[in-house]
């Protein structure tokens, strides 16, 4: 079973508008971390935002915020005031448990295109 | 602080050859992980090293191997290359201390694009 599901293969948004990228996850571990990364066409994965399973508040980093709904097992990324440079692939990822492993499990990604 | 560096950035090999990719983590980071990214399979975990020890391994054949040196630099090796090994290979480092802090962020390098002909 897929642990991370990103149901939107592609999304389009107008410059300066907000956009939400969906991510649902599946885990039975009470301790986990959720991450969002941006991958421009150059290939490098750029860390955007992190949410821990025990965090009481939704994470925010500048124009990025994470809409964390634990009961629904969703961790949607919200990008406010989209810019042309936001056009890229976006990946949701999860790390489970305190087991000391760095293994990240990634979703298939969403390709975001920002139109002028 | 310098980011994660990977060399080479691009590589073309033929089937049956072997290849070695290198990764230098962020200074002070002791954990290095490797991922393979292909259009069909997406991003898949290869292995993770911490203090020169492999701590976790993904579901890849034995042709894929790696190691980590005392300065935390890491190499991965793929022997007997197959066409399906063509991929972007990404290295990531984190300052994970070994206590299992899942909130430690992995920082990725620019990747090595391998093409197997």
């Amino acid at each position: 079973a897929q642990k991370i599901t990103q149901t939107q293969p592609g999304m389009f948004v107008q410059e300066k508008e907000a956009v939400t990228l969906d991510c649902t996850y599946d885990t039975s571990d009470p301790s986990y971390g959720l991450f969002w990364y941006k991958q421009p066409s150059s290939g490098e994965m750029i860390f955007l935002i992190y949410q821990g399973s025990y965090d009481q508040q939704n994470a925010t980093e500048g124009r990025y915020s994470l809409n964390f709904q634990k009961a629904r097992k969703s961790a949607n990324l919200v990008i406010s005031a989209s810019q042309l440079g936001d056009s890229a692939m976006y990946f949701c990822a999860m790390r489970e448990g305190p087991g000391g492993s760095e293994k990240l499990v990634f979703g298939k990604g969403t390709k975001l295109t920002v139109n002028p | 602080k310098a980011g994660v560096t990977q060399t080479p950035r691009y590589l073309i090999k033929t089937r049956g050859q072997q290849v070695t990719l290198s990764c230098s983590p962020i200074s002070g980071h002791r954990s290095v992980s490797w991922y393979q990214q292909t259009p069909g399979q997406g991003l898949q975990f290869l292995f993770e090293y911490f203090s020169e020890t492999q701590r976790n391994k993904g579901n890849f054949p034995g042709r894929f191997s790696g190691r980590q040196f005392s300065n935390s630099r890491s190499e991965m090796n793929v022997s007997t290359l197959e066409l399906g090994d063509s991929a972007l290979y990404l290295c990531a480092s984190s300052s994970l201390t070994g206590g299992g802090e899942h909130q430690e962020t992995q920082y990725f390098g620019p990747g090595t694009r391998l093409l197997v002909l």
Side-chain angles (χ1 to χ4, degrees):
Chain A
Q2 271 198 333
K3 294 220 171 201
I4 297 286
T5 303
Q6 294 181 255
T7 57
Q8 306 151 315
M11 288 282 286
F12 294 87
V13 65
Q14 288 297 121
E15 194 178 6
K16 299 180 185 178
E17 291 185 351
V19 62
T20 298
L21 306 184
D22 295 342
C23 172
T24 58
Y25 58 92
D26 181 29
T27 181
S28 57
D29 199 314
S31 176
Y32 53 89
L34 297 158
F35 301 80
W36 277 92
Y37 286 87
K38 171 185 177 181
Q39 187 178 43
S41 56
S42 61
E44 184 172 356
M45 298 286 281
I46 301 168
F47 166 71
L48 296 178
I49 197 166
Y50 159 83
Q51 180 83 43
S53 58
Y54 295 120
D55 293 344
Q56 295 297 312
Q57 293 188 324
N58 288 342
T60 60
E61 289 283 352
R63 294 186 299 111
Y64 304 106
S65 61
L66 204 152
N67 184 3
F68 181 46
Q69 298 185 47
K70 194 170 181 177
R72 296 180 60 187
K73 294 188 175 178
S74 77
N76 298 338
L77 176 70
V78 181
I79 306 174
S80 63
S82 296
Q83 301 172 356
L84 296 178
D86 293 335
S87 293
M89 285 292 293
Y90 288 80
F91 291 93
C92 179
M94 178 174 65
R95 180 191 299 133
E96 293 173 290
S101 168
E102 278 293 277
K103 176 183 176 181
L104 282 175
V105 177
F106 286 86
K108 294 291 188 186
T110 295
K111 184 175 182 180
L112 177 66
T113 302
V114 181
N115 294 317
Chain B
K1 218 181 226 188
V4 178
T5 58
Q6 291 186 246
T7 56
R9 294 292 310 278
Y10 304 92
L11 208 48
I12 300 175
K13 292 285 187 179
T14 56
R15 279 180 300 174
Q17 288 187 309
Q18 75 165 12
V19 66
T20 298
L21 311 182
S22 181
C23 171
S24 292
I26 292 171
S27 178
H29 284 192
R30 295 164 64 191
S31 172
V32 174
S33 299
W34 289 88
Y35 296 84
Q36 180 197 65
Q37 185 178 25
T38 60
Q41 299 299 317
L43 279 147
Q44 293 184 284
F45 172 78
L46 279 158
F47 27 64
E48 180 227 344
Y49 288 88
F50 180 81
S51 292
E52 302 178 65
T53 300
Q54 187 182 87
R55 293 201 305 178
N56 203 352
K57 189 176 191 304
N59 189 24
F60 279 81
R63 300 185 297 107
F64 291 82
S65 63
R67 59 177 175 169
Q68 186 180 33
F69 302 95
S70 58
N71 62 358
S72 294
R73 190 177 69 86
S74 177
E75 290 181 346
M76 67 162 282
N77 183 276
V78 188
S79 62
T80 319
L81 283 167
E82 300 177 358
L83 296 179
D85 297 333
S86 295
L88 176 66
Y89 289 88
L90 291 161
C91 166
S93 76
S94 81
S95 59
L96 191 75
T97 59
E101 302 87 351
H102 64 69
Q103 69 272 27
E104 286 294 336
T105 296
Q106 287 191 28
Y107 295 94
F108 284 79
T112 294
R113 290 189 187 273
L114 171 65
L115 176 61
V116 182
L117 302 176

